[in-house]
Amino acid sequence: MNDSWKQDPRIKNMDKRKLDLLDSFAGRISQMPKNQLFHAVMELNLEAQKSGIQFSDQETELLAEILTGKLSPDQKQKLDTLRLLSRRLAGQK
């Protein structure tokens, strides 16, 4: 994953703590095998919760769109499944 997502103008008003967390996450997964992505997303969710960081639905949708822009349809479907599971674990709809 490259750092081009940081240049997207739609995130310019996002809280710096959220952007720092995402930057750290992007660095961790850049060299990670794809079969470990689920575990990494779950760790990110826990890390955000421990830090008191919550992403709004709009922020989550925007980030997913930015970060998955170059994924195949199959990979995007897998990510959507992970996001649904994450919402359920967090007690959201």
Side-chain angles (χ1 to χ4, degrees):
M1 176 182 293
N2 62 38
D3 289 343
S4 63
W5 65 271
K6 295 180 192 179
Q7 306 307 315
D8 193 298
R10 297 173 291 176
I11 65 167
K12 70 178 181 176
N13 294 322
M14 191 176 287
D15 183 292
K16 183 178 177 354
R17 288 181 21 183
K18 292 177 181 181
L19 291 173
D20 289 345
L21 179 66
L22 292 170
D23 188 37
S24 172
F25 178 70
R28 284 182 283 187
I29 65 168
S30 65
Q31 302 298 320
M32 186 177 290
K34 291 181 183 180
N35 66 346
Q36 294 180 6
L37 183 58
F38 176 78
H39 183 68
V41 170
M42 298 311 291
E43 284 181 356
L44 174 67
N45 189 36
L46 289 173
E47 186 177 339
Q49 287 177 359
K50 288 178 183 177
S51 300
I53 296 173
Q54 293 183 338
F55 291 93
S56 70
D57 288 343
Q58 287 179 315
E59 289 171 330
T60 301
E61 291 298 320
L62 174 61
L63 293 169
E65 182 181 326
I66 291 169
L67 296 173
T68 63
K70 295 182 180 180
L71 293 180
S72 70
D74 184 53
Q75 291 170 322
K76 285 183 183 184
Q77 179 61 40
K78 288 177 183 176
L79 181 62
D80 286 342
T81 301
L82 289 174
R83 288 176 46 217
L84 177 62
L85 178 59
S86 178
R87 281 189 202 139
R88 287 186 178 170
L89 290 173
Q92 299 176 350
K93 292 183 180 179

